[in-house]
Structures are given as C-alpha cells and as structure tokens.
C-alpha cells in the first residue's frame, strides 16, 4: 500500500473544514467564503505537491529517482532545497 495515503485523508479533511465554514457560517460578507476556500487550498496544496512527486518517483532508468520516504520527509526536503516557492511549484 502507498505509504502516504494518510496525507490525502488529512488534506481533504482540512479542505472540507474550510468549505463547511464558508457555506454554513455565512457572515454576510462576500469575501468570507473566498477567504475560507483560499486558506484551505493554501494549506493543502503543498501536501498535494509532495504526494504527486512521491507517485512520480521510481527506480527505473529515465524516471525521477526515489528521494522522498514519506510526505513529512518530502515536505521537509522541498522546504530545505526549494524554499516556500517549491511547495507551490507543482
């Protein structure tokens, strides 16, 4: 089984919390749902970036070499090597 599947579960849970906040607790402001949904995406996109990189790595010739052991390791490595911009690079 893919070792990082828990990351997808937590990522979707965070997105759903912000989505539910935007839908079920309207403040009357048109910007409140936009802010909630944007925060959900900002918090979950780095996890999605790392999970995509984990799925693309392989030991086969011509493929991206294996570098990330887990989602947490991938987040640390991307942050150290590429900085915050690397988290949103894709």
């Amino acid at each position: 089984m893919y070792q990082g599947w828990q990351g997808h579960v937590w990522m979707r849970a965070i997105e759903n919390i912000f989505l539910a906040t935007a839908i079920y607790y309207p403040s009357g402001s048109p910007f409140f749902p936009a802010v909630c949904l944007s925060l959900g995406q900002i918090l979950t996109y780095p996890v999605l970036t790392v999970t995509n990189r984990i799925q693309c790595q392989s030991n086969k010739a011509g493929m991206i070499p294996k570098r990330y052991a887990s989602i947490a390791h991938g987040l640390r490595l991307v942050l150290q090597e590429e900085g915050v911009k690397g988290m949103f690079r894709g």
Side-chain angles (χ1 to χ4, degrees):
M1 183 187 314
Y2 173 59
Q3 293 178 353
W5 72 272
Q6 298 92 351
H8 283 293
V9 173
W10 284 108
M11 181 178 63
R12 295 295 176 225
I14 292 170
E15 284 180 346
N16 289 337
I17 288 169
F18 282 101
L19 179 62
T21 303
I23 292 172
Y24 296 114
Y25 300 106
S27 65
S29 170
F31 299 108
F32 183 71
V35 169
C36 288
L37 296 174
S38 296
L39 281 174
Q41 289 298 314
I42 288 169
L43 292 175
T44 58
Y45 195 81
V47 175
L48 184 61
T49 299
V50 172
T51 54
N52 286 339
R53 290 184 184 193
I54 289 173
Q55 291 172 351
C56 290
Q57 64 187 3
S58 175
N59 286 330
K60 294 182 180 180
M63 299 291 287
I64 299 171
K66 285 196 169 192
R67 298 185 62 213
Y68 310 111
S70 67
I71 292 175
H73 178 253
L75 288 170
R76 277 193 308 270
L77 199 59
V78 170
L79 194 58
Q80 287 174 355
E81 293 179 355
E82 301 176 36
V84 176
K85 286 184 180 180
M87 295 290 196
F88 297 94
R89 190 165 288 151

